[in-house]
Every structure is written in structure tokens, then in C-alpha cells.
Amino acid sequence: MLYGLMAYFDAPEKLLKAIGALKEAGYRRMEALTPNPVEGVERLLGGDGRIPWVAFALGVLGAGLALFLQVYTTLDYPMNASGKPLLGWPAFIPVTFELTILTITVGIFLYLLYQNGLPLADHPAVRAPGYVRVLLDQYGLFVYASDPRFDLEATRALLESLGAEVEEVRRA
Amino acid sequence: MADKPHPDHDLIQGEWTEKTLVEKLLEPVEKPPPRPWRVVLAVGGLLTLVWLYAIFVTFVRGLGTWGINQPVAWGFDIVHFVWWIGIGHAGTLISAILVLMRQNWRDSLNRVTEAMTLFAVLAAATYPLIHMGRPQNFYWVFPYPTHLALWPQYKSPLSWDVLAIMTYLTISTLFLYLGLIPDLALLRERSQGWRRKLYGWLSLGWTGNAVHWQRYRAVYVLLAGLATPVVISVHSVVSMDFAYGLVPGWHLTVFPPFFAAGAIYSGFAMALTLIIPLRKWYRLEGVITERHLDWMAKVTLASGLGVAYIYLLEIFIAWYSGEPHEWAQQLWRMTGPYAPYYWAMMLINVVLLQTLWFPRFRKNLTWLFIFSILANVGMWLERFVIVVISLSKDFLPGNAHLYYPTWVDWALYLGTIGFFLFGLALFIRIFPPIAVAEMVHLFHKLRKH
């Protein structure tokens, strides 16, 4: 079964140009695979501007939970510690700070995994014979065979005309 | 290629392509290890066994096997707890603060120093656990509903400490792991058999999708931004364990910055101690250049000067406050039975430190290596001065007692050093000690744009 076509470019600029050209031609189902972050790719394939806001919300949640924890436990078992006021808020700052950071850290990590669809057991592009190169020095573009515009010959010709080395990706 | 080379062009020296660079960086994992690695592993492993035995003795026979007494109820264990936590800090600083400052030279150093952080914090965290005397009840420090209806006391720095260390351990582990994911994917594709399975599971199926990379970068920088204040907070909180006490020599508001500066100083020193041999054994001169070591020496100097300043300030505060016990404590440090420790600390952290002002000393790797070890000895002495000397004489002359560590104390200390080396040796055998994806990215930035 044919999964799609994998195109290898030797420079990120060529990859960006190719994504633009394919989008123009009406292709929708493709994935760029690169060894490191490529600037400008989010403009073409969409990025995620929500991360700072998710982190902020997690921070508010963490701070709230931490304050609740401290106030609740103090009121539940009131104890005079070295003459400080029962709800002496300055003494609550360190724990609130640490729990806020802890909540953001764990939460944003899980959010990243969720948004990226990880952990992932298998991915068709990984079956490309030369796949390892996109983790090394090549910039890959994987076009799914399920794309409505996909045509084995025409798509291959289009990618090659954009300066790519193309491989078919099939189930072994 | 542009006409003018990138200002950081010399951070990667030698003729490389992406392929050869990756091969080089993966050598510690893919090629048989050099002989010194086996020696480190063996020595570290043996000392780890000694450590486990000492912990066993502590658990079976109790804290009476340690040298602690009244008033020195906090002996070696807290000296070493603070020492190890301090060492851990440089790793996070290199990886987090330097990310935020967009310093390209961090890329060669961050992985190994983050691993250093992880094992140093693990080594540190065992001390409070075994010092509890009833380690099976360690979970009492967490807020859980109990039939006693008791909760932890959140106005106490000890409770802050628990949360600070836990947060720190979590954030540094996640940060290290996040940085590893792309490299694990690369290793997965390059290995076979059980190794491929292991790296496959650990890499979570990372494919290098460009959109994933965007989110990954955003989260990475965010975690760096969060890790930075955590580092400062952790050692500040640790210092408040002391500063909240009324013991002369502890009760100072200058403790949080004092401890933070000391942590950076000892952490960078330990990083130099590890990186200089690592670079030589694995022939990494092309990626860990003399410029990297020079920068690390400069940071060591800057933070060490902060420490030296506060030593002098402590003397001034003791004198200027007019508080007789504080001043008596200062004189006890300088002239009492522990005076050699105090003056050795001053010699290393104030006098010998000044050599790093001069490029000829900073560029001399032998001296840099020796000094990095001395600096850690100096910082150990500092913790000893703070904990043991301050406690051994407080307000009443009749309370004064000297502290004599037992063999268990020493075994626990050497044991954590062994565990630290053993852990690091295994780490660099399984995971690349230099962040491959970051280096390739840097290479691309420096050579192609």
C-alpha cells in the first residue's frame, strides 16, 4: 500500500518554497520533517500561539491551588508558629511560587505531548528508506497519498521540479 | 555563505559536515568507551556500594552511628546536602539562563551539565531522607489527609524546602528529557535490536515534524524561563533554613544571595572538573573549545567574587552589629579549633580565585582543572564553616561541643560522590553528552548563514 511521497531538500529555504508551491497547487495533506526548527514554517503550516496562554492559565491554577492548600491546612489545624499571624501571607509566598511553577511545568509538558500527538507508536513517514536523513541534514516533505490532489506521477514531477529527491513510501 | 563569518564562528572548530559532526557527537554512545570511562564507572560503582552499605548501617543501627551531637545536630549530612544542591545549580543556569540570553556557547555544554544537575540533586535529596531517623515516614512532609488531622506547617522553611527541591528535581528532569527527545529519535533510527526499542520508547515517536518543532521550541524556552527563578529560589530557600534560626553565624538577611552565588560558583567549578577530562578523553576539542572553557572560568570568577565579597561582609556585619555573640562567633571561626578550615576556605575562595582574572591562568587547562577541584573543596569548607562551626558554639559556653565525623559520615559522603560519577558515566554511555540536534542547528547557523 502506498502511504505517500517523501521529498528531501538540502536547505530549509527550498523546503519553504516547496510547501508554498504545493499549497498553491491545492495540496492539503502534507507534513514537513526537519532536523531542527525552521523559521517561517508556522506561516505556511500553522503554528501554536496558545502555548503562552495555556502556561498562564496553568500558572493561575497552580497559584490558586497552592494558596488554597496553605490557607485550608492552616485553618484546619491552627497552630501558633513563632507568634506569626495565623494567615501570615508573606510566609506563603515560597510554597505558592514553587507550586505555581510545578503546575506549569508538568502541565505544559503534557500539553505539548497532547498537541503533538505523542507518544506515537508508528508514523508512515518513518518508513521512508532515507528517513534518518531528515533527522540529520535534510529537510523532508511528506505528501500523503490520501491527499485529494495526489497523483503518483504528477506529484513526483512537481516535487522534483522544486529541487527535491523523491522516494515512495510503501508498507514493507 | 555570507561574506563576514558569524561572530561565534569559532565555537565549532575544524572541518565538519552535518554527518561527520553527528558521528562525532554520537561517538560516546555508539563507539566502545575509552579506558578512563571504565575506571570512572568501576570506582563510582564501588563507592556506590559503600554508600548503600553506610545507608544500611544508618537504617539498622540508627543515627547514633553518625558523629552528630548536641549542639551540632546538623553535621556532615546537611553540609553535603547544601554542597550537592549548589553543584546542581550550574547545570540549570547554563541551560536555562543562557537560552534566554541566546548564548550560542551553551549548546556544547548544556546536556552534560543538566545530567550533572540531575545526579547532584538526587545525591543531595538522599541526605534529608536518611537524616530523618525514621525514613519510612518521609511522606509525613507531604500534605495528605491523616487520621491525626495534622498538616505540614507551611510557615516553616523546612516545608518550603521540600517543595522547592521537589519542584527543582521535576523541572530539571523534564527539561533534560525534553532536550533529549530529538536526539533519542536520531539514535532510534541509527540503532538496532533492543537499543532501537529502548530509544524508540524513550523518544515517544518523535518524527521531527516542523509544526511539532515550533511548539517544542516554545515550550523549551518557556521551561527555561521558569527554571531560572526556580534555581535562585531553591538555594534561597535552603539558606532560609539557616537564616530563620537564631544561631549566631546563621541569622543573616544576606544568606539568600550568599547561597545563590556560592551555588553558581561551585556548580561551574564542578562543570569544569567534569568537562575538562570529558573533552580530552572523547577528543571533543572541536566542539568544546578553549573559548567555552574561558567563558566558564569567567562565570566562575564572577560568582566567586560575589562569594568572596560576602565573606568580608560577614566579618563587617558581625563587628558593626555590635552583637556580642555574633562577634564571638566570628572570632571562634578565625581563632578557635576550627580556624584551619576557615583560613583554608579564605585562601581558596578569596585569594586563589583572583588568578582567574588573568588570561594566562584561565587558558592553562591544568591550572583550571586543579582550581575547579579546589573551588569545590573551598565551597565544602564554606558549608562546614556555616553548619558545623556555627553550631559548635552558640550562646552558652557550656553548650560548646566539637564535632567529630564517624566512618559512616565519611562513607556517606564518598558514596554520594561515587553515585554521582557512576550515574554520569552511565548517562553519557546511553545518552549523548552533547545535545546533537542543538549542535547541528548551531552548525547550520554558523556555517551556512
Side-chain angles (χ1 to χ4, degrees):
Chain A
M1 195 184 91
L2 182 69
Y3 284 120
L5 284 178
M6 179 78 137
Y8 301 95
F9 300 90
D10 55 8
E13 295 80 17
K14 290 189 190 166
L15 172 74
L16 289 177
K17 217 179 111 214
I19 299 174
L22 260 73
K23 287 216 120 180
E24 200 129 304
Y27 287 87
R28 289 290 168 267
R29 301 213 61 208
M30 56 184 147
E31 255 179 55
L33 302 161
T34 59
N36 37 52
V38 172
E39 274 172 50
V41 89
E42 70 273 22
R43 216 177 46 237
L44 292 163
L45 294 175
D48 195 338
R50 277 171 301 181
I51 284 172
W53 293 107
V54 174
F56 179 72
L58 285 165
V60 173
L61 177 75
L65 283 176
L67 279 173
F68 171 76
L69 171 77
Q70 294 174 88
V71 170
Y72 176 79
T73 55
T74 307
L75 294 179
D76 193 46
Y77 194 93
M79 187 159 34
N80 185 342
S82 47
K84 285 170 217 154
L86 194 57
L87 295 180
W89 66 267
F92 291 159
I93 291 177
V95 169
T96 311
F97 171 77
E98 302 295 346
L99 282 179
T100 305
I101 303 262
L102 187 65
T103 314
I104 304 179
T105 306
V106 175
I108 204 73
F109 184 74
L110 294 177
Y111 176 81
L112 175 76
L113 293 187
Y114 173 73
Q115 285 291 315
N116 281 356
L118 302 177
L120 178 71
D122 200 3
H123 190 281
V126 175
R127 288 166 189 251
Y131 168 74
V132 67
R133 289 154 67 198
V134 307
L135 296 174
L136 257 180
D137 55 350
Q138 301 278 312
Y139 295 80
L141 185 60
F142 182 71
V143 184
Y144 282 88
S146 54
D147 192 290
R149 296 291 309 258
F150 188 87
D151 176 274
L152 189 54
E153 290 315 309
T155 309
R156 177 187 267 274
L158 175 60
L159 285 168
E160 275 171 354
S161 74
L162 290 161
E165 204 181 302
V166 184
E167 271 179 358
E168 285 174 25
V169 184
R170 292 174 184 281
R171 180 183 281 168
Chain B
M1 199 186 284
D3 299 324
K4 247 202 290 181
H6 194 285
D8 282 337
H9 191 261
D10 59 347
L11 285 183
I12 299 177
Q13 289 172 3
E15 286 309 308
W16 303 100
T17 63
E18 278 99 339
K19 261 210 179 87
T20 56
L21 187 63
V22 167
E23 302 266 324
K24 179 76 207 167
L25 296 179
L26 289 181
E27 248 175 41
V29 180
E30 293 183 339
K31 295 264 168 67
R35 182 159 303 140
W37 179 86
R38 293 171 202 277
V39 176
V40 171
L41 189 79
V43 172
L46 268 177
L47 287 175
T48 307
L49 291 177
V50 171
W51 185 49
L52 293 176
Y53 179 65
I55 292 177
F56 176 73
V57 169
T58 304
F59 283 3
V60 172
R61 292 178 47 205
L63 292 184
T65 52
W66 294 8
I68 44 178
N69 58 28
Q70 287 303 337
V72 190
W74 281 14
F76 260 22
D77 49 325
I78 303 300
V79 171
H80 297 140
F81 166 69
V82 181
W83 192 70
W84 277 118
I85 286 278
I87 285 170
H89 280 28
T92 326
L93 283 166
I94 288 182
S95 43
I97 293 190
L98 299 182
V99 164
L100 300 180
M101 295 181 176
R102 297 171 193 254
Q103 294 292 312
N104 286 326
W105 58 277
R106 78 175 273 283
D107 289 349
S108 306
L109 307 173
N110 69 330
R111 176 70 48 75
V112 68
T113 52
E114 280 166 28
M116 175 184 98
T117 297
L118 179 66
F119 290 107
V121 175
L122 282 175
T126 55
Y127 279 108
L129 271 182
I130 55 179
H131 186 216
M132 280 180 185
R134 293 185 189 171
Q136 70 275 19
N137 291 339
F138 78 94
Y139 61 91
W140 287 11
V141 300
F142 297 114
Y144 71 101
T146 128
H147 65 284
L148 296 171
L150 258 176
W151 297 103
Q153 172 55 270
Y154 286 112
K155 278 175 248 168
S156 155
L158 288 178
S159 178
W160 308 346
D161 215 15
V162 175
L163 280 158
I165 304 288
M166 299 267 303
T167 303
Y168 186 46
L169 195 57
T170 312
I171 195 167
S172 25
T173 312
L174 276 183
F175 198 64
L176 173 66
Y177 182 50
L178 195 63
L180 266 170
I181 289 175
D183 291 358
L184 291 169
L186 180 62
L187 279 166
R188 172 192 74 206
E189 295 306 321
R190 286 169 63 95
S191 50
Q192 266 108 41
W194 66 270
R195 280 181 160 259
R196 189 180 161 89
K197 281 222 169 84
L198 175 74
Y199 292 129
W201 286 325
L202 289 176
S203 69
L204 303 174
W206 176 263
T207 54
N209 185 312
V211 181
H212 292 186
W213 267 116
Q214 296 300 325
R215 294 195 191 104
Y216 173 90
R217 262 326 274 182
V219 168
Y220 194 80
V221 173
L222 189 87
L223 283 191
L226 293 174
T228 304
V230 168
V231 176
I232 306 294
S233 82
V234 170
H235 230 51
S236 301
V237 165
V238 169
S239 82
M240 282 188 241
D241 292 342
F242 295 89
Y244 255 54
L246 296 175
V247 177
W250 285 4
H251 197 52
L252 297 174
T253 47
V254 79
F255 260 36
F258 179 31
F259 271 51
I264 301 169
Y265 174 58
S266 65
F268 267 85
M270 182 58 94
L272 278 169
T273 312
L274 295 176
I275 283 170
I276 293 173
L278 184 80
R279 168 180 189 260
K280 194 168 153 58
W281 293 341
Y282 287 101
R283 291 187 202 87
L284 293 168
E285 285 85 356
V287 285
I288 302 177
T289 64
E290 302 213 333
R291 221 180 115 194
H292 287 96
L293 299 175
D294 192 45
W295 269 108
M296 290 175 72
K298 282 178 184 164
V299 179
T300 312
L301 172 66
S303 49
L305 287 173
V307 173
Y309 167 70
I310 295 180
Y311 289 164
L312 305 178
L313 191 71
E314 263 194 317
I315 303 174
F316 174 77
I317 292 173
W319 170 74
Y320 190 69
S321 68
E323 223 276 300
H325 298 292
E326 199 68 47
W327 184 235
Q329 170 62 230
Q330 196 59 50
L331 293 179
W332 169 256
R333 285 180 182 180
M334 290 171 161
T335 61
Y338 289 119
Y341 294 81
Y342 181 79
W343 292 112
M345 171 190 92
M346 288 301 237
L347 174 71
I348 295 170
N349 291 353
V350 180
V351 180
L352 290 183
L353 173 71
Q354 309 305 326
T355 55
L356 296 187
W357 284 100
F358 306 102
R360 87 191 296 206
F361 283 105
R362 283 203 308 268
K363 296 224 154 51
N364 181 340
L365 291 191
T366 318
W367 171 245
L368 204 55
F369 185 62
I370 294 173
F371 180 78
S372 70
I373 293 173
L374 281 179
N376 271 305
V377 174
M379 285 311 290
W380 184 89
L381 289 166
E382 182 199 305
R383 291 8 169 166
F384 185 84
V385 166
I386 292 174
V387 175
V388 175
I389 306 189
S390 299
L391 278 176
S392 61
K393 185 168 185 254
D394 51 19
F395 299 98
L396 295 171
N399 267 355
H401 274 292
L402 297 187
Y403 169 77
Y404 300 99
T406 63
W407 71 267
V408 181
D409 284 309
W410 284 112
L412 286 171
Y413 179 43
L414 293 176
T416 42
I417 295 181
F419 163 74
F420 177 72
L421 292 176
F422 184 71
L424 272 176
L426 278 186
F427 184 90
I428 62 172
R429 187 80 187 97
I430 301 172
F431 305 111
I434 296 182
V436 180
E438 301 234 12
M439 281 308 278
V440 173
H441 195 194
L442 180 67
F443 175 78
H444 197 87
K445 264 198 295 197
L446 300 185
R447 296 289 164 89
K448 305 226 162 138
H449 286 284

